[in-house]
């Protein structure tokens, strides 16, 4: 990390000092508010991704937000929160590259404010509420730097009516394996067939390593989930997914799986217009893609339906319908 | 119209060379001189702008002050980049500044603030400069105030303001050479000293430029596609959604076949829909395995 911007207001925060100590040679630049650096429009996400800067800040409002309707794994009250913005991986299909003008990472160091907001949100419901942490970032990939998952688990382990999903492609599971499983936490891994992962999930651990991590967590007693989202079309889609799922379910116990969600590649049309400017040479964005009536850009509706049906049929050879949550 | 002859409209990024245009903005002749000699540039004769250029690089002398920097840089960039392009130019401001640091030190700006408006910009240091960083505060008149953590100049904010209409924060950089400090106040400064201070740093500055160019080369080469798009925008009215579709189809065409459709054929079609359909059909033809 060569450049770190830090808000003056959190310059003395103990978590700031801890994070800075990991990057002793970085240049440090003081700022007033993170959005001065992060929000300006004329930035190049693609180029910044080659050498992102880190921004340390305090989140002032909107710590917990309503999750999109399709973002659920069985709960009725669904929220997300982001202690970090942007991801250390560079998955070509990721909507973040269309959503933000900057690829720099923001870490909000005021974790306690997130936990207070989570308590306040949960208190509004009589039923358990779900809180998703991997919406704007990978929940675990930066754990050695942030220590956020550990802090988060300490909070949720004391509140059984609050459910947490950690969503990740990372194999940074050491802190989880060192603690007792938290019964109201699901560790969900985003997975794709190996060939797709190699082609599109730049910088992310390989499929095999992710399945290794899943196995270890399941054996240690953690609830695990699978996120097959996005499904990416390939000419050998059915055979590719069949082989991938056979391998996966030969290594994990499907009956103890908390949930599987799936959805095809799509993103809001406005995000897509940004993304194609950044990566016009990427065939994922030029082939079999269209603007749809639902203001999403993605595969044509017929194709999407076919991919979902094929993937669902293949999954139901291994899991129960009750474990399956299509994101449509 | 002499200027137009020297800077024909064809003097765009695509026409000049595969490398991006680099525009270096300076305030004084004494700052521009060492650059002109180092890069062996030729003078462009014009009564409105003072600049020197070759196929790849242009040095502009704006005159003193933020307003001069802004208006003259804006004018120069309008000529250099007549059409919006994803291959936007690399724009760098090089000039002298006052700071409580040793004379002749070279700094890259991590933050530029306009003292009058208090507006700030943060040039993105994605290219990983080797020069140490320094915040720059742009004043409207010379000053004798010095700080160790801030360089005071008179142009950087105007430069940022203009350059960011044409390029992105990764390619908008300010370099400052320290010309006066508490031990050497500005009244000891003359043209020959400025030339000497800039000249001493020009080699290092050139290395920094190379880093910027390397970053800039990582952008996909979309020049042919953007030129075709601009032609079609002139003949047909494309909605934002159809512009996105056009770009997607042109890239699909190029990714699959290695070529673009003939622009004259597309221009003759009566509607945007027909244009998109024709490109889609053409891109679906069997082509070389790429």
């Amino acid at each position: 990390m060569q450049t770190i911007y830090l808000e003056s207001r959190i310059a003395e925060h103990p978590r700031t000092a801890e994070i800075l100590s990991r990057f002793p040679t970085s240049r440090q630049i003081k700022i007033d508010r993170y959005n001065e650096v992060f929000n300006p429009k004329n930035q190049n996400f693609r180029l910044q991704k080659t050498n992102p800067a880190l921004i340390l800040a305090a989140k002032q409002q909107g710590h917990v937000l309503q999750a999109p309707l399709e973002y659920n794994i069985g709960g009725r009250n669904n929220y997300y929160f982001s202690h970090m913005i942007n991801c250390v991986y560079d998955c070509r299909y990721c909507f973040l590259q269309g959503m933000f003008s900057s690829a720099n990472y923001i870490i909000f160091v005021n974790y306690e404010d997130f936990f207070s907001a989570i308590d306040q949100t949960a208190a509004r419901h009589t039923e358990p509420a779900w809180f998703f942490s991997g919406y704007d970032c990978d929940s675990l990939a930066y754990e050695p730097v942030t220590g956020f998952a550990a802090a988060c688990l300490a909070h949720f382990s004391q509140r059984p009516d609050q459910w947490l999903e950690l969503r990740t492609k990372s194999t940074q599971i050491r802190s989880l394996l060192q603690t007792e499983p938290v019964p109201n936490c699901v560790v969900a891994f985003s997975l794709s067939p190996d060939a797709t992962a190699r082609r599109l999930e730049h910088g992310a651990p390989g499929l095999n390593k992710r399945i290794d991590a899943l196995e270890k967590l399941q054996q240690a007693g953690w609830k695990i989930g699978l996120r097959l989202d996005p499904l990416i079309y390939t000419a050998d889609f059915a055979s590719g997914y069949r082989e991938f799922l056979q391998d996966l379910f030969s290594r994990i116990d499907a009956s103890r799986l908390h949930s599987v969600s799936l959805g095809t590649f799509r993103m809001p049309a406005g995000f897509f217009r940004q993304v194609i400017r950044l990566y016009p040479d990427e065939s994922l964005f030029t082939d079999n893609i269209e603007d749809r009536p639902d203001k999403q850009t993605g595969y044509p509706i017929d194709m999407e339906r076919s991919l979902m049906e094929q993937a669902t049929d293949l999954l139901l050879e291994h899991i129960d319908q009750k474990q399956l949550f299509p994101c449509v | 119209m002499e200027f137009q002859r020297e800077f024909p409209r064809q003097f765009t990024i695509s026409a000049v060379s595969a490398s991006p245009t680099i525009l270096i903005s300076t305030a004084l002749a004494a700052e521009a001189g060492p650059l002109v000699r180092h890069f062996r540039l030729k003078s462009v004769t014009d009564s409105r702008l003072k600049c020197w250029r070759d196929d790849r690089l242009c040095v502009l002398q704006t005159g003193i002050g933020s307003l001069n920097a802004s208006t003259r840089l804006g004018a120069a960039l309008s000529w250099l980049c007549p059409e919006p392009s994803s291959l936007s130019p690399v724009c760098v401001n090089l000039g002298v500044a006052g700071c409580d640091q040793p004379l002749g030190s070279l700094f890259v700006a991590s933050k530029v603030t306009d003292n009058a408006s208090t507006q700030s910009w943060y040039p993105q240091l994605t290219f990983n400069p080797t020069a140490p960083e320094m915040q720059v505060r742009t004043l409207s008149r010379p000053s004798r105030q010095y700080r160790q953590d801030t360089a005071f100049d008179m142009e950087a904010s105007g430069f940022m303001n203009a350059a960011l209409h044409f390029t992105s924060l990764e390619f908008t950089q300010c370099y400052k050479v320290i010309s006066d400090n508490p031990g050497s106040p500005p009244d000891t400064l003359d043209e020959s000293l400025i030339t000497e201070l800039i000249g001493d740093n020009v080699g290092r500055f050139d290395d920094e430029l190379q880093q910027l160019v390397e970053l800039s080369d990582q952008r996909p080469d979309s020049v042919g596609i953007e030129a075709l798009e601009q032609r079609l925008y002139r003949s047909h009215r494309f909605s934002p959604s159809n512009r996105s579709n056009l770009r997607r189809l042109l890239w699909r065409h190029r990714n699959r076949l290695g070529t673009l459709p003939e622009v004259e054929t597309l221009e003759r079609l009566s509607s945007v829909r027909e244009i998109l359909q024709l490109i889609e059909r053409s891109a679906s033809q069997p082509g070389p395995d790429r």
Side-chain angles (χ1 to χ4, degrees), chain A residues 1 49 89 93 99 106 149 189 212 220 225 271 281 298 325:
Chain A
M1 189 60 63
K49 199 75 192 169
Y89 306 134
Y93 50 69
M99 186 157 133
I106 303 176
F189 277 73
D212 283 348
F271 292 2
D281 45 350
F325 297 90

Side-chain angles (χ1 to χ4, degrees), chain A residues 2 42 48 104 285-286, chain B residues 124 126 128 164 170 248 252:
Chain A
Q2 283 153 347
N42 33 14
Q48 286 187 9
N104 292 334
F285 303 136
T286 58
Chain B
Q124 288 295 299
T126 313
N128 197 25
L164 286 172
E170 296 76 27
R248 188 161 68 227
R252 186 195 297 179

